Amino acid sequence: MSLVKDIAPLIHGEIMEDEASLLRASKDASLFTVRPKAVAHPMNVEDIKTLVRYATSHTDVSLTARSGGTDMSGGPLSESIVVDMTTHFTRIGRVTGSSIHVEPGVYYRNMERKVRKKGLLMPSYPASKEICTVGGMVNNNAGGEKTLSYGKTERYVEELSVVLADGNEYTISPLTPTELAKKMKEKTFIGKVYREMYALLEKNYDFIHSKKPDVSKNSAGYYLWNVWDRKTFDLTKLFVGSQGTLGITTNIKFRLIKPKKHSALLVVFLHNLSSLIGIVEYLLAYQPTSLESYDDHTLALALKLFPSFVKKLKTNLFSLGWQFLPEFFIMARHGIPKLILLAEFSGDTKKEAISQAEAAQNAIKKWNVPTRIATSKDEQKKYWTIRRESFNMLRHHVQGKRTAPFIDDFIVKPMHLEKFLPGLARILKKYNIDYSIAGHVGDGNFHIIPLMDLKKEHEHTIIPKVSKEVYDLVFRYQGSSTAEHNDGLVRSHVLPQMYGEKMYNLFKETKAIFDPKNIFNPRKKVNFNWKWSQEHIAHE
């Protein structure tokens, strides 16, 4: 069967099977390579409906939506049809009040440019904000540097348009009990979904709510506890973070916020990690907008790639060198820090923001660590660029090794870090793994990126061993396996351990209600095959 010959006459967009298209769709930012049979570029909603109907009427055909390809979990990878949303689903609607409609293939940077003109922001952007799309942000429930104060993407989705397994498009939004009762009477596929989901959620109400992870953010599993609180029934809360396993998103309505205009950045240089927990606790008491971190590996690579930052920061070598003088003096006196903390404070005036940063700076003087406050946007930009580019720098510029994100996104409560971090260090030392640290230290959400030579078979054999030991440790401290990056091919197998078999079976029931023929992004969330995933780890 040739998918291209079958499908090309049926859709207005394109479907490709050339080598370049298949190669591009076989990779994302994860450690996997999975070659699809075809890549579809739907022109409109009718094309997506056609693709869904084709998949439901043919065996062994599935649809995996893909946008920016920045996913670190293998989420948009498939052996069947990859549906690329970035070619035609790129329309941005008007800003209406404090909301905007966008299509899933829109790059966040383009939406941000438009809403900034109105003094507004969708604040849950990840570090990959310059290269990720809003569709990926919704389907992974993205978070980032502003999550500490503003929350994740789930908080900003007001309405979704989705094509479900019957091949029809539906609009989903929060419903009152009266509206829900009306929906459940419909003799349609969505009516059946509402009836069956309501029955599942109501029957298991207390159990489901008891299983909500006790951390500040989570992207593991399906968020069943968010759908029904006996006042509002909201399926958007289920679709957010579902990694395209329940249907294909065609339009998103985001709520926007009006951010404070001014900020000051307190930069803390830690030369050992013994004071990390205490400093983080003190900084959090001053309510920073962001509390981020990156380590010495990242800083060293940034210094090595110094000339490339000229282009990213739109400056020149002399000016950039001048901006980094304070850091050079600190490193000359104290050495390269093990970890750099970035605590951002916001205010309606510049004076207010600086005052907050100074108060926090004074509060941590007892640890006698080097600090400085960056007040200008140019000064702050260099730090944020290093933090946001940390993974890409490692991914593209480490010689002889590559990034292997398989323990990259766990989260535990900050109160547990004092015991958790030494335990993590022991595991990584045991397997002699070189790694970098970045992430959202204010949430207890660390991005640990192993640097490995995957040409060596030995490196492949230790991945499942390290994964098991690290996630055993995470769950011992009641954490989540993924705060932002989602389950995908790399972490779906730990969901039964994290939630228990009964909750995992409710996830499977949810998938079956929406996708009875398993055509939407199989092997993610439920019905995973960890052995199959391991066989698709790249050897390069």
Side-chain angles (χ1 to χ4, degrees):
M1 175 180 67
S2 169
L3 291 172
V4 170
K5 286 182 181 178
D6 267 9
I7 294 172
L10 305 178
I11 63 174
H12 300 88
E14 306 80 36
I15 183 163
M16 320 287 285
E17 59 181 359
D18 61 283
E19 185 63 23
S21 295
L22 298 184
L23 183 62
R24 187 164 51 250
S26 69
K27 298 178 181 180
D28 55 2
S30 72
L31 70 168
F32 301 102
T33 299
V34 181
R35 186 181 175 88
K37 289 186 173 67
V39 181
H41 302 266
M43 179 76 70
N44 49 37
V45 174
E46 289 305 313
D47 279 358
I48 295 180
K49 291 179 180 179
T50 298
L51 288 169
V52 170
R53 289 166 184 161
Y54 181 90
T56 56
S57 61
H58 291 75
T59 56
D60 298 323
V61 176
S62 66
L63 305 172
T64 295
R66 177 188 178 100
S67 291
T70 59
D71 191 289
M72 295 170 69
S73 75
L77 304 183
S78 168
E79 287 185 306
S80 189
I81 301 175
V82 169
V83 182
D84 192 322
M85 306 298 282
T86 60
T87 309
H88 302 297
F89 276 75
T90 57
R91 287 173 281 271
I92 305 176
R94 290 181 299 147
V95 176
T96 305
S98 59
S99 63
I100 188 170
H101 279 273
V102 288
E103 292 184 329
V106 168
Y107 283 90
Y108 175 84
R109 63 178 185 261
N110 295 333
M111 181 184 75
E112 181 186 40
R113 196 175 299 124
K114 183 163 187 173
V115 303
R116 284 279 192 186
K117 291 177 182 177
K118 302 285 188 178
L120 299 170
L121 180 69
M122 208 290 277
S124 66
Y125 56 82
S128 58
K129 61 179 286 193
E130 294 300 319
I131 54 176
C132 74
T133 65
V134 296
M137 289 176 62
V138 168
N139 281 285
N140 277 333
N141 192 16
E145 64 201 44
K146 302 291 187 189
T147 298
L148 184 64
S149 53
Y150 289 112
K152 294 181 66 185
T153 299
E154 60 191 329
R155 192 178 292 184
Y156 300 95
V157 175
E158 293 188 331
E159 180 183 284
L160 292 173
S161 296
V162 293
V163 175
L164 298 183
D166 67 335
N168 289 314
E169 184 187 42
Y170 300 95
T171 298
I172 56 176
S173 59
L175 301 175
T176 65
T178 301
E179 292 167 333
L180 172 62
K182 186 177 179 182
K183 285 283 186 186
M184 289 196 293
K185 290 178 182 177
E186 292 183 9
K187 306 296 185 184
T188 60
F189 183 81
I190 192 69
K192 179 174 177 288
V193 165
Y194 276 115
R195 288 191 296 275
E196 293 184 1
M197 284 304 302
Y198 172 78
L200 182 149
L201 295 169
E202 187 60 31
K203 179 182 177 182
N204 300 282
Y205 187 88
D206 291 336
F207 173 75
I208 286 171
H209 284 262
S210 75
K211 286 295 183 178
K212 181 179 180 179
D214 187 21
V215 286
S216 61
K217 52 186 180 178
N218 170 62
S219 281
Y222 293 123
Y223 316 146
L224 295 178
W225 46 83
N226 285 342
V227 179
W228 174 232
D229 63 1
R230 293 180 171 157
K231 295 177 182 177
T232 304
F233 193 96
D234 188 359
L235 285 180
T236 68
K237 301 295 187 187
L238 183 61
F239 267 81
V240 173
S242 65
Q243 278 199 312
T245 59
L246 305 178
I248 295 180
T249 304
T250 55
N251 200 281
I252 305 154
K253 182 183 179 184
F254 283 122
R255 177 174 68 88
L256 307 172
I257 60 110
K258 196 173 187 68
K260 293 184 177 181
K261 293 182 179 180
H262 300 276
S263 65
L265 190 67
L266 172 61
V267 187
V268 183
F269 302 87
L270 296 182
H271 289 83
N272 64 72
L273 300 185
S274 61
S275 58
L276 174 63
I277 312 304
I279 288 175
V280 166
E281 287 180 352
Y282 269 57
L283 291 175
L284 287 174
Y286 287 84
Q287 299 183 314
T289 309
S290 307
L291 183 49
E292 299 288 293
S293 63
Y294 56 86
D295 71 349
D296 51 350
H297 292 87
T298 306
L299 178 61
L301 192 54
L303 295 174
K304 181 180 177 182
L305 300 174
F306 198 73
S308 71
F309 276 83
V310 174
K311 185 176 181 180
K312 287 193 177 294
L313 295 174
K314 298 178 182 177
T315 184
N316 57 64
L317 271 175
F318 177 79
S319 177
L320 186 60
W322 184 263
Q323 285 183 44
F324 271 99
L325 273 181
E327 287 74 30
F328 291 137
F329 285 133
I330 287 171
M331 285 186 282
R333 184 176 177 185
H334 300 277
I336 293 180
K338 282 287 183 187
L339 201 68
I340 293 178
L341 305 183
L342 309 178
E344 182 186 57
F345 297 88
S346 301
D348 292 319
T349 65
K350 190 171 184 177
K351 183 179 179 182
E352 180 187 350
I354 293 173
S355 176
Q356 290 177 19
E358 288 175 342
Q361 184 183 45
N362 288 330
I364 63 172
K365 277 185 176 178
K366 60 183 283 188
W367 282 281
N368 197 30
V369 293
T371 63
R372 66 182 303 262
I373 295 175
T375 57
S376 73
K377 288 186 177 180
D378 285 343
E379 274 189 296
Q380 294 171 26
K381 190 175 181 181
K382 69 183 181 187
Y383 292 110
W384 285 125
T385 299
I386 294 173
R387 167 63 190 94
R388 291 166 185 161
E389 291 292 321
S390 57
F391 179 68
N392 264 340
M393 286 192 298
L394 292 163
R395 187 180 172 198
H396 296 296
H397 296 286
V398 174
Q399 297 297 316
K401 294 186 177 183
R402 60 154 291 173
T403 53
F406 64 95
I407 49 168
D408 51 288
D409 189 42
F410 54 76
I411 180 171
V412 297
K413 281 187 171 182
M415 62 185 285
H416 296 310
L417 290 177
E418 189 169 1
K419 293 182 179 179
F420 175 87
L421 289 177
L424 175 68
R426 283 192 293 272
I427 294 169
L428 297 173
K429 184 178 181 181
K430 171 183 173 182
Y431 290 97
N432 196 30
I433 290 179
D434 193 16
Y435 60 95
S436 71
I437 303 174
H440 318 292
V441 65
D443 287 307
N445 173 207
F446 286 91
H447 300 318
I448 306 293
I449 309 294
L451 303 172
M452 306 177 77
D453 183 358
L454 294 181
K455 297 184 185 73
K456 298 178 179 177
E457 195 58 37
H458 167 71
E459 303 280 72
H460 287 252
T461 63
I462 67 173
I463 285 174
K465 297 175 184 176
V466 175
S467 176
K468 183 179 188 316
E469 291 190 33
V470 168
Y471 290 125
D472 283 350
L473 183 68
V474 169
F475 301 147
R476 195 179 310 153
Y477 288 97
Q478 295 80 51
S480 168
S481 55
T482 174
E484 302 170 339
H485 296 172
N486 222 288
D487 302 307
L489 295 175
V490 75
R491 275 180 293 272
S492 291
H493 70 283
V494 302
L495 289 175
Q497 180 185 1
M498 176 175 166
Y499 286 104
E501 286 295 332
K502 181 177 178 180
M503 188 65 176
Y504 177 68
N505 285 333
L506 293 179
F507 291 163
K508 290 175 74 173
E509 285 185 46
T510 299
K511 169 72 168 175
I513 288 169
F514 280 88
D515 186 16
K517 293 190 175 181
N518 196 30
I519 66 165
F520 294 122
N521 205 11
R523 293 196 178 96
K524 323 292 163 51
K525 297 287 185 181
V526 298
N527 306 317
F528 56 82
N529 185 329
W530 180 219
K531 186 173 183 295
W532 184 93
S533 292
Q534 291 174 62
E535 291 169 353
H536 285 80
I537 294 174
H539 283 76
E540 56 184 18

